[in-house]
Amino acid sequence: MGDKKNKTKLLFFTAEYPFFKGIGEPFIENEIGYLADAFTEVIIFPYNKTGASRDVPSNIKIGNLSFTSKITFIDIFLIIKILLYEFSNVKNRMFFLKKIRMWASVLKKAVLSSKSLENIIRSENNTELIYYSYWMNEWALVLAILKHRGIINNFVFRCGGYDIWDERHEGNYLPFRYYIYNKTSGIYPNSKMGEKYLKAYNHYADKIKCLYWGTKDKGLNPFDVNEIPCIVSCSSLIPLKRVDRIIDVLKWIDLPLKWVHFGDGPLKHDLHCKIKTLPKNISVEFKGNITNDCILDYYITNSITCFISTSSTESMPVSIQEAISFGIPVIATNVGGVSEMVNNQTGLLLNANFEEKEVARIIKKMIFDPFPQIEYRKKIKQFWLENFNAANTYKEFVKILQKKR
């Protein structure tokens, strides 16, 4: 997969991976093997280290920061300089000033983290190091500070959803976007829509390039027209995913059908109560939080009619990439970058404010029409191969990282 003669180390900054208690970042599992193969060593720095840890390749280590430094007058001057830079660029200046103490506190922590990370960097002596943050988050800010101070030459980051859209943040402000964008050498949103959104800022557009995430090829779903129709969904049980809307859709279906959902969350109890209102011809199975491998095993061993997503907002959900990798047709709301995966070749797009009765009609049509047959599913698979095959997407990204030496 990579060139073992490349004697460089990658410092990889994540939210939790390889630990998983909250978001867990299971999608990094599709990428980590390519990173491990391309570099002599990969040192992962998770921002949170709670919960169990996934198995990782043998040349991957977990980095630890030790906070021994104190804030100096020079650091205070740097914090003030960054605050002034953000203030000069931010649109909602009143909101920025209202939260100024919080921003200063965030910067103080980032400065201390940068000093601790600097100690690790210097301990590597003359080893070539590459710096990669999976998100534009606290780690990206730390790396920007190190770049500002001349400790590192460059760093890159991906961005996927919450770290792209201002509208998902209080005051429509994504903290320290302007400063981080100024210091980074590469910004890689995971959707073309995200790329277009970021370039509209007219800030460092030349640094921004869409690079899709990818999933692994596990085969083709064993669809069987003689099996009871089965629809699947996969998401956290939180308001923006609108899983309750799936239940409202199923109320309009008057034939035997099975619904399987993967994922858990705070709305679990409310949804279980609402499920009781479904007609007897609908069977439901909530799998909860299970490993990604278990989900993929289900896709390769059970006949699935379609995958459904009713989210009010999305970026480029890996759950949909995984579904089409098995040739499973998708019904999904046209939000975020979903239209880059769901089209006439792979499924059907819904308006964000869809009517449940109409979606039920679409599902019934998929059951009775030739839409989900084998040849059609092969075309879905082909679209995935051309756009979201991990063997291609991550090899391309590794080449980009290696050029950052």
Side-chain angles (χ1 to χ4, degrees):
M1 282 190 286
D3 182 5
K4 287 295 186 180
K5 295 180 181 180
N6 176 23
K7 301 298 183 181
T8 56
K9 289 186 180 182
L10 177 70
L11 273 58
F12 182 30
F13 302 86
T14 69
E16 291 184 351
Y17 185 89
F19 300 94
F20 55 102
K21 183 178 182 181
I23 61 172
E25 301 158 306
F27 29 81
I28 293 180
E29 292 184 41
N30 293 318
E31 179 174 353
I32 196 65
Y34 296 94
L35 298 178
D37 189 71
F39 299 98
T40 306
E41 185 176 88
V42 177
I43 306 175
I44 302 180
F45 292 87
Y47 198 77
N48 297 308
K49 295 182 180 180
T50 54
S53 178
R54 295 176 174 86
D55 293 331
V56 294
S58 59
N59 66 328
I60 289 182
K61 296 181 179 179
I62 306 300
N64 291 296
L65 300 187
S66 55
F67 297 92
T68 57
S69 301
K70 295 181 179 180
I71 292 292
T72 66
F73 284 112
I74 294 176
D75 298 329
I76 294 172
F77 179 76
L78 176 59
I79 289 172
I80 293 172
K81 188 174 183 178
I82 297 172
L83 289 173
L84 288 173
Y85 184 83
E86 283 290 301
F87 179 76
S88 67
N89 285 283
V90 71
K91 295 178 182 178
N92 191 343
R93 291 184 173 179
M94 289 300 296
F95 171 77
F96 186 84
L97 289 174
K98 182 180 177 181
K99 300 284 186 177
I100 195 71
R101 289 187 177 180
M102 183 173 72
W103 308 139
S105 177
V106 170
L107 282 171
K108 177 182 177 181
K109 185 174 181 179
V111 167
L112 289 173
S113 296
S114 73
K115 290 185 173 185
S116 180
L117 185 56
E118 178 185 352
N119 292 334
I120 293 174
I121 292 170
R122 293 192 184 281
S123 70
E124 292 292 338
N125 297 320
N126 296 321
T127 305
E128 284 189 295
L129 301 176
I130 295 175
Y131 307 90
Y132 162 34
S133 174
Y134 204 78
W135 309 99
M136 200 220 76
N137 60 0
E138 297 90 347
W139 279 129
L141 179 58
V142 170
L143 294 172
I145 290 170
L146 287 171
K147 173 70 180 302
H148 188 133
R149 294 173 53 221
I151 307 302
I152 64 177
N153 292 323
N154 55 59
F155 71 96
V156 303
F157 63 85
R158 289 186 183 271
C159 42
Y162 86 99
D163 54 347
I164 292 179
W165 318 105
D166 280 343
E167 295 77 12
R168 294 193 186 183
H169 298 265
E170 183 183 2
N172 292 329
Y173 171 61
L174 182 53
F176 304 108
R177 182 202 295 277
Y178 303 99
Y179 178 72
I180 294 170
Y181 277 37
N182 176 270
K183 299 303 177 184
T184 189
S185 51
I187 302 161
Y188 301 105
N190 69 342
S191 68
K192 292 179 181 176
M193 178 171 285
E195 177 186 47
K196 182 179 179 180
Y197 177 92
L198 294 178
K199 285 187 174 181
Y201 273 87
N202 294 319
H203 282 279
Y204 311 105
D206 58 318
K207 298 181 181 182
I208 301 168
K209 179 184 178 182
C210 169
L211 286 180
Y212 286 142
W213 294 347
T215 54
K216 297 177 182 177
D217 192 347
K218 298 290 185 177
L220 199 64
N221 177 253
F223 175 75
D224 187 343
V225 70
N226 296 312
E227 293 280 341
I228 293 176
C230 174
I231 66 171
V232 296
S233 53
C234 181
S235 70
S236 298
L237 302 180
I238 55 178
L240 65 85
K241 297 298 182 180
R242 302 196 302 186
V243 176
D244 60 307
R245 298 293 303 275
I246 298 177
I247 299 174
D248 293 332
V249 167
L250 296 178
K251 290 179 181 179
W252 291 95
I253 294 181
D254 55 2
L255 50 83
L257 184 143
K258 181 179 181 180
W259 171 37
V260 177
H261 180 82
F262 300 95
D264 208 336
L267 295 182
K268 179 180 179 179
H269 175 74
D270 293 344
L271 291 169
H272 275 279
C273 290
K274 190 168 184 176
I275 285 170
K276 296 177 182 178
T277 66
L278 287 172
K280 293 183 179 180
N281 57 289
I282 305 295
S283 65
V284 180
E285 188 174 353
F286 270 35
K287 296 286 191 179
N289 276 339
I290 61 175
T291 66
N292 187 249
D293 285 341
C294 289
I295 296 174
L296 302 184
D297 285 344
Y298 189 92
Y299 290 174
I300 201 61
T301 56
N302 294 271
S303 175
I304 297 172
T305 305
C306 70
F307 180 97
I308 186 168
S309 171
T310 53
S311 292
S312 60
T313 182
E314 282 289 0
S315 177
M316 286 286 282
V318 174
S319 59
I320 292 179
Q321 291 183 22
E322 289 174 340
I324 63 175
S325 78
F326 287 91
I328 299 170
V330 175
I331 299 174
T333 43
N334 187 7
V335 294
V338 170
S339 62
E340 296 171 42
M341 295 180 287
V342 183
N343 51 41
N344 292 335
Q345 187 173 337
T346 61
L348 292 165
L349 284 172
L350 306 173
N351 291 326
N353 298 315
F354 60 85
E355 293 186 8
E356 289 89 355
K357 187 176 182 179
E358 175 61 18
V359 180
R361 185 192 67 79
I362 292 171
I363 293 174
K364 291 169 71 173
K365 186 174 185 294
M366 290 178 69
I367 292 171
F368 290 111
D369 283 1
F371 184 92
Q373 301 304 324
I374 299 302
E375 287 306 312
Y376 190 88
R377 289 169 176 253
K378 288 181 179 179
K379 292 179 180 179
I380 296 173
K381 176 87 173 190
Q382 185 60 36
F383 177 84
W384 170 84
L385 284 169
E386 293 171 358
N387 295 278
F388 303 103
N389 185 356
N392 298 326
T393 58
Y394 293 128
K395 284 182 179 179
E396 178 184 359
F397 184 61
V398 162
K399 290 179 181 178
I400 290 172
L401 287 177
Q402 291 172 337
K403 289 179 181 179
K404 299 298 179 182
R405 285 184 291 171

